[in-house]
Amino acid sequence: MPARVSRRDFLKCTVVAGISVYIAAPGSAALAALFEQQRLRPLPWDPGTGKIRYRIDATAKVTGEKVFSFDMRGRDLPGWPDQQAHAMLLRATRADRAYAGFDLSMLGDALRPDRVVTAADLQRDGVQFPPFYGEDMLLPEGNTPAYLGHAVALLVWHDFARFRAAKTTLKFRDDIVRYGASTGPLERDPWAAFRYVRVGGATAFDDDAYSSLKDTPLFPSGYSKKRPLWPQANPRGGLDAQGAAHAATIAAALDAPGDDQLVLQREYFSQSIDTAALEPDNGNAWFDAANATLHLVVATQSPQEIAEDGPRVLAASGLNVKNLVLHPCYTVGYGSKDHTPFPFYVLMAGLYGDGRPVRLANDRYEQFQSSLKRHSFRIRYRIAVDRKTGKFGIFQGDMVGDGGGRLNFSPSVCLVAATAAQSIYYFPQSDLASTVISSRALDCGSARGYGTLQSMGATEMLVDEVAAELKLDPIELRQRNVFTTGMKNTQGAIPGGAQRADEVLAQCRAHPLWRDRDKRKREYEATHPGKRHGIGFGCVQKDFGTGAEAAFVEVAFAPDGRLLLRHIGVDMGTGMATSQSALCIPWLGKPADDVRTGETHWPELPMIATGDPWLMQQAEQDRNVGNPRWTPHVCSPSSASNSAYFFSHATREAARLLFTQGLWPAARAIWSEGFGGGQLAPLAIRREDAHWVDGRLTAGGLAGLPLQQLVAKAYELGLATGAIVHTFNRWQWAEADFPLDGEDARLPLDAIALRWGAEGSTGKGTATANGYRMIERTRVFYPPTQRNNAGVVYYSAIGTIAEVAVDTASGKVELINHHSVLECGNPIVAELVSGQLQGGLAMGIGHALHEYLPLYEDGPGDGTWNFNRYTLPRAADVAVWKQTGEVLPALSASDPPKGMAEVVMIAVVPAIVNAIAHATGLRFRELPVTAEKVRAALVAGRVQEQTA
């Protein structure tokens, strides 16, 4: 956007808390100087096959074009000053003493910062975090740091050379930040606790006696010594008391099992890790005081959050800021950039730039010291199994995660860990409790896996131990207990669609790696003295979505036939921009020519939300549904594997609406031209007969029509030339009635807007913005708020076989080979699915064998961690040349794509640990399984044998 906001731009802005907000997404006119060379080129594809040749951003990324915010400087942005300032944050490396200021004397006069910002400045100017991030954006003197790495000051230099020299001087020094009296770490209650109790009916398909969905989850009344105080058990009390009574009965059954019952109790530990995103947290901000405008370029998965909370931060300050211009860019995140506090530090830095753009960007040491981490979990499981049949009866879990120093997403990670623990199995009775504590560890957030890696990985290790106790093939045991279509999960909900984990198990059991595992073990060990060989298995199904998924999408034709796609989603390395563009092909005959992601400004469809969609009561929803502009949730960040299913639903519905209201009636009009109704009159043609063939639309033998002819006719007749939709999903799609004809009278959408003909034309609906008219719904059907208790209903499944060799001298575990079978519906772009599978497997391998961060004083909060201390798997560690994978064929062409970017990393973790057990006979329950742990266990085993 230009430095001066034009009247037209100003009128297009959203106003939040009195601040005008303009969103300049990649590819928009506001970044024309960056994209004038078409750095994001049209999607290359073959019209004959519909195959995508490569990603829409591939050329830009491979050739080093500036699509990441990390590369942006003031001189790159239209209207910004050329002189770029640079900043860094000082962080406390202790969390057990009061903070007593800092000493920069070692810099001397030459390297002294041009601006120093402290908590006192923020307090004076009224600058503070949004409530989501808590207090003390910068720590005031006299306070104890809430966590290791707590920011205490922002230092700004007006030139790069002095900044670089000063930063090098300050690095690794423990005499900069000063501390006062010993206070001990802050003691705070846990961030959250949830408990899900279920007692099923006589069969897996009968009504439950008690479940969270039918009745209620259990919530603590308080905490004692960081442990939740659950409701008192009373079988005749309220719903929560009844749930506690059922939990007590489950515990009693596990405490005193019958002779025919095997009860195993095991404890597991899943470590804290760094998300190790390719692009560190960064941003660039410029406060144009003359125009009272703050310009902000950031790497984020959740630009909607910044667009909503950024203005509130600015409005609450005493500074004269009237406009916010936000530039979200392409990024690499996988959770690390979803609701991270870093963009708000960048916003704060921009306010103190003295008229210059200020770049705040982590180096790798700072990234380890401050980026969001994966929650570590300690888990205790108990399982009851029928010895004769191998059928699971009861599953009990108590999970304790460490959420670190700020709340962030710990409550939902806590919830998801509990609801995922069942993995691919059906349990007639279950009691799953999860708590996430607060601590002085670094902030934990939306890391890939989101609690399920921790809980399901442990479940899979436990199931393998059960199989060993019962002397059953581990996959056979899984097949006896697999969750199948129509069964209820541990919350009492029936998942959507066919559940196909049983097919994944069958495919894996028949694979040569598994079928011949004992033979392969004998042959390998015979030819490799000093090594033990093992093959292990893991199979999981992971939910995707959050239970309050909402999206806007626009698809629109220009008069020249170019197709625009605007989307709320952010491409964080998943290829989302490519896949969403490809979704236009079935309905509109080609992918989008112009793709704009990270869009948060939708004046054409002005929806509003009130309350919290996850905590909303039915009465509140019922009060608001009469307002056609109300929705439970306006917009979702890019997270929770939501692009393939939830974002795609919105894109597909927008493309479909543009076809049914624009291209299809245009085609019928063309086919009807001529005396007596033209070539159409003698035929009986339905909309479902339409097909695109070599770029032309045909139906039932009618002449193929090129897209440009259809678009021209739609403009001529005032038909739909653009469509914007809004979706909402609470484990079920919202639907609404609209005053449209035929099949479009009820749609799985809660709001739509159409542009009829050229911009500004009249037509159905209420005029809004940019030539669009909102087609106000006449009735809406939102999923009941009770469905929040379902936890999850959308799953994708994966099974992974891992082959390892263990060196008995060093303890080193070598991953020789692995094979995965993934079930994810119909892939939108198969190559993107393959890439996600390979990348996810590498992350899981790292979690199983290599990656580890100490939580507290010896961890990354001291600022000395980098990849010289933190081990990521390399190509040699992931069986890069041998690994194989396959996608289970969809049941039909109408199967939707499923979110799979998270599930692909999970099953390989227990598969490797179970393979080590097959190789050595040793069970490891604490991750990662390092060479040191294996060697120590092998030595201990040999000593025990000698003693015996």
Side-chain angles (χ1 to χ4, degrees):
M1 187 174 183
R4 298 185 184 277
V5 182
S6 70
R7 185 174 187 277
R8 177 179 173 83
D9 284 331
F10 180 79
L11 291 174
K12 287 166 61 180
C13 289
T14 299
V15 177
V16 180
I19 305 290
S20 297
V21 186
Y22 184 89
I23 311 300
S28 67
L31 287 181
L34 288 176
F35 293 91
E36 62 187 1
Q37 300 174 11
Q38 290 188 313
R39 294 176 177 180
L40 298 180
R41 295 170 176 83
L43 190 63
W45 71 298
D46 181 351
T49 64
K51 294 282 288 182
I52 307 299
R53 291 174 54 206
Y54 47 83
R55 291 166 59 135
I56 196 169
D57 54 346
T59 302
K61 288 181 176 178
V62 169
T63 56
E65 301 285 7
K66 294 188 175 185
V67 296
F68 292 105
S69 66
F70 196 85
D71 298 322
M72 304 292 184
R73 303 295 186 272
R75 63 178 178 271
D76 298 317
L77 293 150
W80 285 42
D82 288 342
Q83 186 176 359
Q84 178 71 64
H86 298 266
M88 65 173 286
L89 289 163
L90 281 184
R91 295 183 179 274
T93 57
R94 302 191 64 167
D96 60 348
R97 291 178 177 272
Y99 163 59
F102 54 88
D103 178 10
L104 300 178
S105 60
M106 69 285 295
L107 295 178
D109 292 337
L111 299 181
R112 188 177 303 279
D114 295 300
R115 186 70 183 260
V116 176
V117 183
T118 67
D121 297 300
L122 301 188
Q123 185 174 9
R124 179 197 65 220
D125 296 332
V127 178
Q128 57 186 333
F129 267 145
F132 180 82
Y133 298 103
E135 299 177 343
D136 296 340
M137 191 176 195
L138 296 176
L139 186 68
E141 290 190 35
N143 288 14
T144 300
Y147 53 96
L148 297 157
H150 199 146
V152 299
L154 176 81
L155 313 180
V156 182
W157 288 263
H158 291 166
D159 64 284
F160 180 77
R162 292 171 58 248
F163 160 75
R164 183 71 265 173
K167 189 170 183 177
T168 301
T169 302
L170 297 175
K171 193 174 289 294
F172 309 134
R173 298 187 65 129
D174 58 7
D175 58 346
I176 300 170
V177 177
R178 299 187 301 228
Y179 302 94
S182 175
T183 61
L186 295 181
E187 291 294 331
R188 294 171 290 176
D189 282 342
W191 295 126
F194 298 94
R195 191 171 184 177
Y196 294 88
V197 177
R198 176 177 174 270
V199 177
T203 73
F205 307 98
D206 290 319
D207 290 343
D208 291 339
Y210 186 93
S211 73
S212 299
L213 177 58
K214 184 173 75 72
D215 300 294
T216 182
L218 304 187
F219 304 98
S221 58
Y223 299 93
S224 176
K225 298 180 179 179
K226 296 196 173 185
R227 296 296 294 164
L229 301 173
W230 299 113
Q232 292 293 314
N234 183 349
R236 291 177 293 278
L239 290 176
D240 55 350
Q242 293 176 36
H246 284 295
T249 302
I250 287 172
L254 290 168
D255 290 340
D259 294 340
D260 59 344
Q261 293 289 304
L262 168 68
V263 173
L264 279 188
Q265 176 175 315
R266 297 290 185 267
E267 291 194 7
Y268 300 91
F269 175 75
S270 183
Q271 77 278 26
S272 169
I273 64 102
D274 191 82
T275 46
L278 175 67
E279 182 189 25
D281 292 340
N282 71 92
N284 206 338
W286 170 47
F287 180 37
D288 176 9
N291 291 288
T293 300
L294 182 74
H295 299 257
L296 185 62
V297 178
V298 286
T300 178
Q301 293 173 226
S302 43
Q304 300 85 3
E305 177 213 12
I306 301 166
E308 292 177 6
D309 285 341
R312 295 188 178 101
V313 171
L314 297 173
S317 75
L319 304 172
N320 181 33
V321 186
K322 297 180 180 178
N323 309 299
L324 171 64
V325 180
L326 174 63
H327 302 265
C329 296
Y330 279 65
T331 188
V332 180
Y334 292 96
S336 67
K337 294 182 178 66
D338 181 9
H339 285 72
T340 167
F342 200 88
F344 294 98
Y345 281 115
V346 178
L347 181 150
M348 179 260 286
L351 293 174
Y352 297 98
D354 299 324
R356 297 169 176 81
V358 180
R359 181 174 184 262
L360 180 65
N362 280 343
D363 62 25
R364 277 294 163 189
Y365 290 102
E366 292 167 317
Q367 186 71 3
F368 271 97
Q369 189 180 24
S370 64
S371 66
L372 295 177
K373 302 297 184 275
R374 178 176 295 146
H375 292 72
S376 74
F377 266 86
R378 192 162 293 278
I379 298 170
R380 181 179 66 85
Y381 282 154
R382 287 203 291 175
I383 187 171
V385 187
D386 188 292
R387 291 182 182 274
K388 294 179 181 178
T389 65
K391 298 286 283 185
F392 298 161
I394 297 176
F395 187 38
Q396 183 192 64
D398 183 21
M399 310 164 213
V400 179
D402 192 316
R406 292 195 185 273
L407 173 68
N408 206 277
F409 277 133
S410 284
S412 58
V413 171
C414 178
L415 181 155
V416 171
T419 58
Q422 75 177 97
S423 189
I424 62 165
Y425 308 107
Y426 175 73
F427 292 96
Q429 298 184 56
S430 54
D431 174 15
L432 300 166
S434 180
T435 304
V436 172
I437 65 169
S438 61
S439 77
R440 64 190 185 280
L442 276 66
D443 299 9
C444 296
S446 177
R448 193 180 197 178
Y450 210 82
T452 68
L453 170 75
Q454 299 90 319
S455 62
M456 285 195 292
T459 302
E460 282 298 282
M461 297 178 212
L462 177 67
V463 168
D464 245 52
E465 290 204 52
V466 172
E469 288 284 337
L470 298 180
K471 296 181 172 52
L472 286 174
D473 177 289
I475 296 185
E476 180 186 344
L477 176 64
R478 288 170 168 85
Q479 289 175 314
R480 295 185 187 187
N481 292 282
V482 68
F483 190 102
T484 59
T485 305
M487 289 181 172
K488 301 183 190 68
N489 62 23
T490 49
Q491 300 81 253
I494 298 174
Q499 303 306 298
R500 304 182 67 194
D502 55 344
E503 296 178 58
V504 173
L505 291 174
Q507 198 93 335
C508 290
R509 191 174 182 185
H511 193 274
L513 260 182
W514 186 261
R515 188 187 61 219
D516 303 331
R517 70 179 191 141
D518 291 331
K519 177 185 175 184
R520 293 172 74 95
K521 179 177 175 66
R522 290 193 302 270
E523 291 176 349
Y524 187 93
E525 292 181 354
T527 56
H528 295 80
K531 290 192 175 182
R532 305 271 183 86
H533 178 277
I535 294 178
F537 180 69
C539 188
V540 299
Q541 60 183 22
K542 189 193 178 301
D543 67 287
F544 50 94
T546 64
E549 290 290 345
F552 288 101
V553 171
E554 176 187 13
V555 290
F557 281 112
D560 64 0
R562 286 182 60 83
L563 179 60
L564 165 70
L565 169 66
R566 290 175 61 225
H567 208 295
I568 64 161
V570 173
D571 197 324
M572 53 174 176
T574 59
M576 166 265 172
T578 300
S579 62
Q580 296 302 309
S581 178
L583 286 165
C584 296
I585 297 172
W587 287 105
L588 305 177
K590 69 172 185 177
D593 300 293
D594 183 7
V595 180
R596 301 182 186 179
T597 58
E599 294 275 331
T600 64
H601 182 55
W602 299 89
E604 306 89 346
L605 192 54
M607 302 298 289
I608 60 169
T610 58
D612 186 316
W614 292 277
L615 302 178
M616 185 175 295
Q617 298 298 309
Q618 188 64 42
E620 180 182 357
Q621 179 166 293
D622 293 343
R623 279 196 306 271
N624 286 287
V625 293
N627 179 354
R629 300 193 177 195
W630 182 85
T631 181
H633 193 44
V634 171
C635 209
S636 295
S638 295
S639 60
S641 294
N642 57 6
S643 68
Y645 182 73
F646 299 97
F647 288 178
S648 293
H649 174 82
T651 302
R652 192 181 295 108
E653 288 298 317
R656 178 189 176 280
L657 195 59
L658 184 55
F659 177 82
T660 60
Q661 297 294 313
L663 297 189
W664 179 245
R668 291 184 63 91
I670 295 170
W671 287 324
S672 300
E673 291 174 350
F675 183 76
Q679 61 174 300
L680 179 62
L683 303 176
I685 302 298
R686 294 182 175 85
R687 197 164 63 190
E688 57 264 31
D689 298 325
H691 295 279
W692 291 96
V693 180
D694 294 330
R696 292 171 177 263
L697 184 68
T698 183
L702 292 163
L705 302 175
L707 177 62
Q708 180 56 56
Q709 184 180 2
L710 294 169
V711 172
K713 180 60 72 171
Y715 270 90
E716 175 191 337
L717 298 179
L719 301 170
T721 57
I724 297 177
V725 305
H726 185 265
T727 61
F728 176 74
N729 182 292
R730 183 188 284 128
W731 307 124
Q732 178 181 335
W733 289 109
E735 296 183 345
D737 291 341
F738 298 96
L740 297 173
D741 298 331
E743 295 179 17
D744 290 343
R746 177 172 294 187
L747 296 169
L749 305 166
D750 67 344
I752 62 174
L754 295 172
R755 187 183 67 205
W756 304 103
E759 183 174 341
S761 295
T762 59
K764 289 183 180 180
T766 303
T768 51
N770 300 321
Y772 276 89
R773 305 181 75 85
M774 184 173 180
I775 314 299
E776 295 178 338
R777 68 200 185 207
T778 57
R779 192 178 179 189
V780 70
F781 307 89
Y782 282 115
T785 60
Q786 180 79 2
R787 284 196 70 81
N788 280 319
N789 296 344
V792 293
V793 297
Y794 300 108
Y795 292 106
S796 51
I798 189 171
T800 298
I801 307 167
E803 182 178 26
V804 305
V806 180
D807 189 303
T808 56
S810 67
K812 177 177 172 56
V813 178
E814 177 189 1
L815 183 60
I816 301 172
N817 197 1
H818 53 90
H819 177 78
S820 294
V821 178
L822 172 66
E823 190 279 308
C824 62
N826 275 304
I828 304 169
V829 181
E831 292 80 3
L832 292 177
V833 171
S834 177
Q836 290 299 305
L837 176 60
Q838 294 171 52
L841 285 163
M843 289 184 74
I845 292 163
H847 195 83
L849 296 176
H850 303 284
E851 299 179 56
Y852 173 73
L853 285 175
L855 283 169
Y856 302 125
E857 279 69 23
D858 52 348
D862 66 5
T864 65
W865 279 73
N866 204 328
F867 289 121
N868 61 327
R869 300 179 66 183
Y870 186 84
T871 306
L872 283 177
R874 274 64 166 180
D877 301 314
V878 301
V880 68
W881 300 117
K882 287 188 175 181
Q883 62 172 288
T884 53
E886 59 183 295
V887 175
L888 207 63
L891 296 174
S892 75
S894 64
D895 287 21
K898 297 182 178 182
M900 46 70 63
E902 291 182 280
V903 72
V904 289
M905 73 170 296
I906 300 172
V908 70
V909 176
I912 289 172
V913 179
N914 293 336
I916 295 170
H918 183 231
T920 65
L922 302 170
R923 296 282 177 185
F924 292 91
R925 304 183 185 96
E926 301 220 352
L927 299 176
V929 184
T930 61
E932 292 75 17
K933 291 179 183 177
V934 175
R935 184 174 63 248
L938 288 169
V939 169
R942 286 194 288 269
V943 169
Q944 193 172 27
E945 288 175 6
Q946 292 169 0
T947 303

